[in-house]
Structure formats: structure tokens, C-alpha cells
Amino acid sequence: MAQFSLVSASVGLITLQNPPVNALSAVLRQGIVDAVEKALCDPKVKSVVICGQNGIFCGGADIREFGTNMRGPPLIPMIHAIESANKPMVAAIEGSALGGGLELALGCHYRIAHSQARLGLPEVTLGLLPAAGGSQRLPRLIGVPAALNLITTGRHVTAAEALQLGIVDQVTDHNTVDAAVKFSQSVAGQSLDGRRISTYPCPVQPNLDAFFEEAMLKVRQSARGAIAPVACVQAVRAAATLPYAQGMKREKELMATLFTSGQARALQYCFFAQRAVGRWSTPSGGRWDTSKPRPVHTAAVIGLGTMGRGITVALAQTGLSVVAVETQVKQLTEAKQAVSGMLERGATRRGAAPTPDRITYSENIQAVAGADLVIEAVFEDMALKEKVFRQLSDVCKPGALLCTNTSALDIDHLASQTRNPELVVGMHFFAPAHVMKLLEVVYGPRSSSQAVATAMQLGKKMGKISVAVGNCRGFVGNRMLKPYLEQAFFLLEEGATPELVDRALEDFGFPMGVFKVSDLSGLDVGWRVRKADGMVESGLSTGPSARIRQGRRYSPLGDLLCEQGRFGQKTGRGWYLYDKPGGRVSKSDPWLHSFLEEYRVQQGLVARRVDQQEVLERCLFALINEGFQILEEGIAAGPEDIDAIYVFGYGWPRHRGGPMFYAGMVGLAKVMERLDHYHQAHPDEPSLQPCSLLRRLVASGKKLHSQL
Ligand SMILES: CC/C=C/CC(=O)SCCNC(=O)CCNC(=O)[C@H](O)C(C)(C)COP(=O)(O)OP(=O)(O)OC[C@H]1O[C@@H](n2cnc3c(N)ncnc32)[C@H](O)[C@@H]1OP(=O)(O)O
């Protein structure tokens, strides 16, 4: 609802009241319409201030209403009535004014913001555009380039930037409502002719056609198939070229195509999934709302290779004291320099003062004795990690949480090396650890819920999307990646090229195809794991049995490349060719194509035409099938957990909602039918056999996501 009151004898104060973010629900919109009418009819009221309760102006339209039959007064006429009012309307912006919230403020004649406020039109991130006049008013207010930037990126600006851009008229460090009330009194009775943004001409943009062509090209390149950014450019172009009323018509048409699109549904699902993963639960009954995290003031990191350095930076940036331990002197010296460089660059990027140095370095593991939480980040080798955990168990103070940054190893086994296995959890960071948003918090059967809660809370403090997952080989993310990679290798054997597979995945929306990613992360990483698993035979034997290992189809292609010293970017050669070791730009490699041809001949394989659809179905459906298996085993608590992991850690295109959501969009029956089809053709590939949860869901007609 919206509360109306008379303050300072002549100011009508309208307070938006819809916790937690004053989203513009049907009830709130009705409340605003009623309150505005009251204010305009009351002769005592000479000016009006609109504010939000609990320190937040408005988080925009109520996203939960989007999938429903929207009732209540629509936003556009409501904002129009505010702009047309003959008494000054002033928005008092505290906290956030986002989406419809900012559009409401743009309908007001003046805007006063608190210095800590954030403003923006993030509709594009929800697969929409600012369609309550935002795409038409903002360019008229701040010019086309600045408006286009805000609308196509959805970025939030600070009050200071908003003032500089001309979005707000005044910024205050004091009570925003008081400042707005005072301001509204000062302008009461003044003409409002020059204050209605919809009547402004759009500032002239030189070389309009070239400007928008370039903008469109840029957006199409970065949007990777997302339709909303493209529609945003079209809407701003309408503002720049059409009178306001016609621009509004265009805004409405563009919004209509977006509003019902699968992409908007997927992006809105991601918005809620990102928040839902914080409400974790474990099979043993641990829950986010009943488990109290332990306080962490000092954290320690053991091992200062690439991961350890990134984790140290991420911890230091949260303001914690950090003890960083590296036993090799040379590595320690290099790490010190690297960490301070990363901290400095991070501060510059954020426009903040450098993080005060709260890091203590040591060569001695005894230095972690006082830490509340330790993150072990030594080389991915079980014997080495076992040794470190035994040492930690002796050295650490009672109650200290012992975490391992492993991407696949058994948490429970490591816990068994310690005196207090309940204090052991996995914290699987993604490289670079101070940049990547995802953190898998891995609980073993003996991890206490307090340990999980502590790691989850620390992840949140570090600005991560933390997802609690169970203990199994590869946890959720890497476990699902295995069948995906496997299928990509098999497709090469059957006639595809790395270019064809990567193109299909990049057209789907991944920033990089599977072979480019493999070159980037290093082919030797997987090779080492496969060797440890006893999968690798050196040299190449021939015939189908040479490609069956441990009872299932196996492709030795990756191993053969490694035997040639082709480890990817770092050696300048992998699935692609690079201009030098460490080079970043991939080129097609004729050697690789000949190698594939020779390999097929040797193995008696006949190359056939593989199309993009088969690439997507085999790679993605195999990955999704593993996701269903993970759900069935209870390793992930729900599909949102898997989807968040893939969107935030593995480059899954957000506008496709994550693998499990995508499966629902495609239709579970279709996914199962295609898996069955491919499994019949490849009975030695168990990852193509639909798992029982998928079969049960299809048989019962049940959905995995209520949004679908
Ligand atoms: C006609 C169509 C017009 C469309 C125009 C629009 O306005 S589209 C909506 C544009 N607005 C946004 O995209 C803002 C989304 N919200 C946020 O960015 C943040 O929530 C916030 C406002 C910056 C506050 O952040 P904070 O970290 O303080 O809180 P949470 O993000 O955890 O949110 C608290 C709960 O509120 C729910 N919520 C937030 N915004 C909305 C919203 N616009 N509609 C509905 N619900 C919203 C959020 O989901 C949290 O609840 P959970 O139950 O935890 O999910």
C-alpha cells in the first residue's frame, strides 16, 4: 500500500509500503494512484514528496507478478498522472530506485537522492526493457549515449554518478525525506512547464544512423543470442527519432515481444534462483535458518599457487585478517607480489582505496594456529592434502573450521584425517578465485550444519553465489561436465571438428566452446586425472576394444594430444593453434585436422556429417541427464542449485536459465526421447541413458520447475 500524510502543513507525503523492497505490486500501484489523487485534490497540499519505507525507494515492478494475470492500475498511466500533476512532485530516493522504481521517479518533476542510493534500469537483466516510459524519458533527460549505456547494461549507478549524469537534481548526506520536503516547499507554486521529461526534445545525436548501427553491432556481439539488449537499442533509437507518443508506442510493441519470451522467463527464474540457493538444506536436516554460523575474524590460506592467491585476495577484500602460508620460499616471494598487485588493481577498478594490508605471510603451517577458519589450497593431490589435514588437525585451535579447495576429491576422506571431521567442508572456488562469482560449499556426511553455515556465510561476505552441495566425485559442476566433455570427444571421432563443436556451443550462448575452454585451462589437467583413474594407455592401440575402457566407450584423443606436448594455450598448441606459448587467439590448426583424419582411419572409423543440433543434444542432454542423477542422489537439493552453479561458474547462458531450466523449456519428454535415441545408437555410452528420475518425471507428467 501507499500511505498518504500531510507534513509541514503544505506537503503531501506519499510513502510506498511493500516490504522488503517496495516492489510495485498491484496493491501498491492502486495505493499510489489513490494517494496521488488525494494529494492533488487537497487544497492544503502545495507540493508532494514520494518516498519508500525502510530506507528503500523502490525495487521496481513486482517480478513475481509477471507470470500471472496482472491486475491493478498499469504503471504507464500512473506515472503519466504524476508527471501531468499541477503540483510539484519530488522523489526522495533512498536505498535503491530500480526499474519501474526509477521510471516512477523520472515521472516526478524533481529527484533528490541520498548519497548512498543506487539507481538503474536493470530490466535488460530480466529479459525486458524499461517499458514504463524509461526508454523514452531517460534519453531525453541525459542524452542518448549515456541512456543507451544504462539501459543496455542494466548497471546501477551511484547517487554521485546520477547527479553528474543529470538523473537527479540534488544529493544529500542527511535525511532524504526531510531534504525533499524542504526542496518541494522551495519550488511550490513555480511553473512545471520545464520539468516534464516527456515534453523534452531528445538531445541531438550526431551521425545517428552510424551511432545506432555501431551500438547494435556491439550489443549483438556481447549479447550472445539474448534478445533484450537488442530491443533496448531499438527502443532508445525510437526515443532519438520519434516524438514521445510514438516512441511510447514502439516501447510497448518491443516489450510485448520480450514479455512473453522464454528468455525473459529464464532470466527472471535466474534472479530468484540466485537468491534461493542461500536457503540451503542438507539431507541430514541442516538448514540455513536453523544453523548459526561461527564468527570468522581471521582466516588462513595454505598454499599460494594460483588458487591460493585468488582466495587470499578474496578474503582480504572482505576485511578479514588473513594468514597466508606457503612452504616454498620462492613461491612465497612471488605470491606476496602477485597478491598485492591484485589487491591494488581491484581497488583501482572499484574506485576504492587499497585494502589495508591485513595479510600475514609465513612459510610455517604453525602460523595458522590462531585462525578461525583455514582454507587449504595446495596442489590437487590426495596424499598431499591428507598430510596437510593431519597437520592442521594438530595445529589449529579447537573449533577452527578446516576447508579444502578441491574441485573433485573426497571431502569425507580428508575429514577422516582429522580429529574433528564435523569441522571439515569443501570450498570449491573457481579460477580466478577473487573474480569468479561461484563457490560450491561441499558437505560430507559428517560435516556439521554449523560448518556448512559458516562456509556459506563467508562465501556471501566474499560476494560469491554460494551453493551447498553433497560430496561426490566432481561435486555438481565438474561431475556434470564429464559427460559433456566425453560427448565432445566422441563427436570428433565420428566426424566433427573442434571448430564445429565450439561454434554450436557458442551459438547456443556459451562464451567459449568446450575445446577452447580446454585449451585455456590446459589439457594436461584432465590427462593427470585420467591417468590417476587408470584410463590412460600410452600410445595408440587400434580397433573398437582400444576405445573401451572400464567397460564403456572411451576416447583417447585428449591423451594423444598431451603425449605430443599439446597442452593448449600454455604450449601454443592444443585443439587449436596459438601464435606463441601463452597466446590467447585461437586459430584453426591443419595439423589437428590431419591428425583426426589419420586417427579415424587407424581406428576404422568412418567420418560422417555431424550437425549443430546433434552437438547440442549430445553434449547438453548428457550433461542434463547427469544433473537429474545428481538430484536423484540428493547431491543438489534442487534444480535451482544446479542452474546457479552452471550460470555463475560454467558460462551457461543466463538467458537460457541453467541446464535444468533449459531441459524444462525444451520439454522433459523431448530430452528423454533424444537421449534414448542416441543411447540406442551408442549403447556403450551410459551417460546417454536417461536416468530414472527423468523417466519418472516424464511418466508422471510432472515438471521440475513450477515456473514452466
Ligand atoms: C511492466 C513491467 C515493468 C518492468 C519494469 C521493472 O521494474 S522490472 C524490475 C526491475 N527491478 C529490478 O530488477 C530490481 C531487482 N531487485 C534487486 O536488484 C535487489 O533485490 C535490490 C532491490 C537491490 C535489493 O537487494 P537486497 O540484496 O537488499 O535484497 P534481495 O535482492 O535479497 O531481495 C530481497 C527480497 O526481495 C525480492 N525482490 C527484490 N526485488 C524484487 C522485485 N522487483 N519484485 C519482486 N521481488 C523482489 C527478492 O527476490 C528477495 O526475496 P527472496 O524471497 O529472497 O527471493
Side-chain angles (χ1 to χ4, degrees):
M1 62 171 274
Q3 192 190 54
F4 175 79
S5 55
L6 186 69
V7 295
S8 303
S10 66
V11 182
L13 181 66
I14 298 174
T15 308
L16 314 187
Q17 296 180 334
N18 184 21
V21 302
N22 298 323
L24 292 160
S25 62
V27 174
L28 180 55
R29 295 196 303 275
Q30 187 62 60
I32 297 172
V33 168
D34 295 345
V36 168
E37 199 182 311
K38 217 183 251 176
L40 297 185
C41 292
D42 187 339
K44 292 191 287 306
V45 173
K46 305 294 178 218
S47 60
V48 180
V49 168
I50 304 181
C51 67
Q53 76 169 6
N54 295 336
I56 175 163
F57 181 71
C58 175
D62 187 340
I63 306 167
R64 289 187 203 275
E65 276 186 356
F66 288 172
T68 65
N69 272 342
M70 284 176 76
R71 285 168 297 128
L75 270 181
I76 293 177
M78 182 189 96
I79 294 172
H80 183 71
I82 289 170
E83 191 186 59
S84 314
N86 54 7
K87 298 177 184 179
M89 309 291 283
V90 181
I93 300 171
E94 289 175 326
S96 301
L98 298 172
L102 180 55
E103 290 176 298
L104 167 67
L106 291 174
C108 292
H109 306 119
Y110 300 94
R111 285 154 294 281
I112 313 291
H114 188 267
S115 53
Q116 297 303 310
R118 290 273 189 285
L119 299 88
L121 294 174
E123 285 86 340
V124 69
T125 64
L126 299 168
L128 305 173
L129 61 87
S135 75
Q136 302 305 299
R137 284 196 178 90
L138 195 63
R140 286 177 161 77
L141 183 64
I142 65 172
V144 171
L148 190 69
N149 172 271
L150 292 195
I151 292 172
T152 53
T153 62
R155 75 184 177 91
H156 302 179
V157 297
T158 60
E161 187 178 350
L163 184 66
Q164 190 209 340
L165 287 169
I167 300 176
V168 299
D169 302 286
Q170 209 179 82
V171 172
T172 178
D173 280 326
H174 305 289
N175 184 305
T176 317
V177 175
D178 287 352
V181 165
K182 218 161 144 193
F183 181 90
S184 81
Q185 287 172 313
S186 74
V187 292
Q190 287 181 11
S191 165
L192 294 169
D193 285 349
R195 302 299 314 177
R196 297 187 175 99
I197 299 172
S198 71
T199 64
Y200 296 2
C202 197
V204 175
Q205 179 60 39
N207 305 320
L208 199 72
D209 285 339
F211 173 84
F212 277 106
E213 262 165 46
E214 196 184 316
M216 191 58 99
L217 201 70
K218 212 167 123 192
V219 146
R220 280 193 203 279
Q221 272 167 0
S222 59
R224 293 189 281 123
I227 54 175
V230 172
C232 285
V233 177
Q234 290 169 318
V236 175
R237 189 184 178 119
T241 51
L242 299 173
Y244 176 76
Q246 283 181 43
M248 287 298 286
K249 214 170 136 218
R250 183 78 182 118
E251 182 189 87
K252 190 175 170 186
E253 285 163 7
L254 290 164
M255 179 66 157
T257 59
L258 296 180
F259 201 67
T260 50
S261 72
Q263 292 198 4
R265 265 191 297 163
L267 286 158
Q268 288 154 28
Y269 162 77
C270 282
F271 175 85
F272 290 115
Q274 179 178 341
R275 285 154 179 84
V277 295
R279 295 187 282 270
W280 57 271
S281 63
T282 67
S284 61
R287 284 174 56 90
W288 65 284
D289 51 353
T290 53
S291 312
K292 195 166 174 262
R294 294 177 80 97
V296 177
H297 304 294
T298 302
V301 180
I302 313 271
L304 296 180
T306 311
M307 289 309 288
R309 293 173 195 185
I311 296 168
T312 303
V313 170
L315 288 168
Q317 282 174 342
T318 64
L320 290 176
S321 296
V322 185
V323 180
V325 176
E326 170 56 62
T327 50
Q328 292 179 35
V329 183
K330 185 165 171 277
Q331 174 107 310
L332 180 64
T333 314
E334 285 169 7
K336 277 185 199 174
Q337 264 191 351
V339 166
S340 60
M342 280 146 84
L343 283 170
E344 258 172 50
R345 285 192 296 278
T348 312
R349 222 181 4 257
R350 293 194 308 275
T355 314
D357 204 348
R358 294 197 194 89
I359 307 174
T360 316
Y361 292 92
S362 177
E363 288 163 45
N364 191 340
I365 199 166
Q366 298 286 342
V368 308
D372 304 305
L373 176 147
V374 184
I375 303 175
E376 163 279 307
V378 300
F379 194 68
E380 189 81 339
D381 174 83
M382 186 49 113
L384 178 61
K385 285 184 190 273
E386 278 174 5
K387 187 175 150 209
V388 172
F389 268 75
R390 282 196 293 271
Q391 286 176 315
L392 288 175
S393 190
D394 288 340
V395 168
C396 289
K397 69 179 183 187
L401 199 67
L402 306 186
C403 312
T404 172
N405 172 56
T406 170
S407 57
L409 298 180
D410 185 352
I411 305 298
D412 196 38
H413 179 74
L414 284 174
S416 71
Q417 308 300 307
T418 68
R419 272 194 283 275
N420 297 96
E422 73 281 5
L423 296 175
V424 176
V425 289
M427 286 182 90
H428 177 205
F429 289 85
F430 289 73
H434 59 302
V435 176
M436 289 291 285
K437 285 297 252 181
L438 179 65
L439 174 70
E440 279 183 322
V441 171
V442 190
Y443 54 83
R446 288 181 282 178
S447 310
S448 70
S449 52
Q450 190 178 45
V452 180
T454 308
M456 289 293 283
Q457 193 191 53
L458 181 62
K460 192 171 178 190
K461 268 195 189 160
M462 286 192 271
K464 308 283 180 208
I465 311 291
S466 309
V467 186
V469 299
N471 183 33
C472 65
R473 181 80 187 265
F475 316 130
V476 169
N478 284 347
R479 175 170 160 182
M480 288 170 67
L481 208 57
K482 192 167 173 248
Y484 166 82
L485 279 165
E486 215 174 58
Q487 287 303 317
F489 282 13
F490 296 158
L491 287 163
L492 293 192
E493 292 187 338
E494 290 165 38
T497 59
E499 290 83 349
L500 181 131
V501 173
D502 280 355
R503 165 58 82 87
L505 295 167
E506 286 163 19
D507 285 354
F508 179 78
F510 280 98
M512 270 191 200
V514 56
F515 292 107
K516 284 191 194 145
V517 172
S518 171
D519 272 0
L520 176 68
S521 44
L523 273 66
D524 51 323
V525 180
W527 192 34
R528 226 177 3 249
V529 175
R530 293 192 296 275
K531 275 197 214 168
D533 287 348
M535 299 297 273
V536 176
E537 292 170 5
S538 91
L540 177 62
S541 38
T542 52
S545 61
R547 287 176 288 104
I548 296 285
R549 308 230 174 128
Q550 298 180 3
R552 52 195 284 168
R553 182 173 173 187
Y554 178 81
S555 168
L557 282 170
D559 306 335
L560 295 172
L561 258 59
C562 287
E563 280 177 20
Q564 304 261 351
R566 296 179 73 107
F567 292 166
Q569 288 188 4
K570 60 180 138 188
T571 56
R573 295 173 312 158
W575 299 106
Y576 293 90
L577 193 60
Y578 301 85
D579 56 351
K580 55 175 192 280
R584 293 285 178 97
V585 184
S586 60
K587 275 195 302 200
S588 230
D589 188 352
W591 178 91
L592 196 273
H593 294 154
S594 313
F595 161 78
L596 286 176
E597 275 165 31
E598 279 167 30
Y599 170 85
R600 290 185 200 115
V601 171
Q602 265 179 324
Q603 294 293 320
L605 294 163
V606 180
R608 61 180 176 83
R609 193 178 159 271
V610 174
D611 62 17
Q612 286 212 347
Q613 186 184 341
E614 182 177 352
V615 172
L616 292 183
E617 288 181 345
R618 282 185 54 190
C619 293
L620 302 185
F621 291 179
L623 174 148
I624 286 166
N625 196 32
E626 194 65 37
F628 278 104
Q629 186 65 43
I630 282 171
L631 282 178
E632 182 150 38
E633 291 170 21
I635 295 292
E640 291 86 358
D641 299 272
I642 297 179
D643 288 331
I645 285 172
Y646 262 80
V647 166
F648 293 104
Y650 290 83
W652 185 281
R654 204 179 156 104
H655 62 268
R656 296 196 189 264
M660 307 319 283
F661 189 83
Y662 176 69
M665 294 282 272
V666 171
L668 300 189
K670 166 98 187 282
V671 173
M672 190 182 89
E673 180 268 309
R674 297 312 291 157
L675 280 167
D676 269 331
H677 166 84
Y678 290 117
H679 188 237
Q680 264 173 25
H682 305 281
D684 53 358
E685 296 173 31
S687 59
L688 293 174
Q689 183 170 24
C691 80
S692 57
L693 173 62
L694 176 57
R695 286 201 190 282
R696 283 203 309 277
L697 284 168
V698 173
S700 65
K702 279 197 191 140
K703 290 187 169 143
L704 201 54
H705 297 84
S706 53
Q707 296 87 339
L708 288 169

